[in-house]
Amino acid sequence: MSIDTSEMGTLLLVIIMAVVTIVTRWGGIFIMSYIPISHRVQQFISAMSGSVLIAIIAPMFIKGDTGAQAALLVTAVGTLVLKKPLLSIAAGIAMAALMRNM
């Protein structure tokens, strides 16, 4: 199946992605409403979010350009040192812009 990405096709794709996002988020909340949050479940949830983040970031760091690598490094170090993720992400974005502008 192919959807034309001009005019209405793009809007259709955005609507489909929004529906999938809403269904997965609400579905997760619905399923988790039946699972008691014990210490073990809490540890699993914490570990899972970190592993998903690493799975997304690692290929970008390995195959990305120097701007992406510098941005990820600044963001990681900033988060560990400053303990303020939003500020670290902003610094990482600025670093990527700076490196790609050079």
Side-chain angles (χ1 to χ4, degrees):
M1 183 177 141
S2 178
I3 297 176
D4 184 28
T5 56
S6 62
E7 298 181 24
M8 293 304 289
T10 305
L11 180 62
L12 179 62
L13 288 172
V14 170
I15 291 170
I16 290 170
M17 288 187 292
V19 167
V20 168
T21 300
I22 290 170
V23 167
T24 55
R25 285 181 181 258
W26 287 350
I29 293 169
F30 177 73
I31 290 170
M32 289 305 292
S33 69
Y34 291 103
I35 298 173
I37 306 295
S38 64
H39 181 67
R40 187 172 177 167
V41 171
Q42 182 67 35
Q43 286 180 323
F44 172 77
I45 292 170
S46 296
M48 185 59 93
S49 61
S51 63
V52 169
L53 185 62
I54 294 299
I56 293 169
I57 290 175
M60 191 184 319
F61 185 77
I62 293 169
K63 295 204 176 205
D65 62 348
T66 55
Q69 292 171 345
L72 290 169
L73 189 62
V74 166
T75 303
V77 170
T79 301
L80 291 172
V81 171
L82 301 174
K83 307 280 191 237
K84 295 185 180 186
L86 190 58
L87 183 61
S88 300
I89 291 168
I93 291 170
M95 177 56 77
L98 181 69
M99 292 293 290
R100 290 179 178 163
N101 197 22
M102 295 174 77

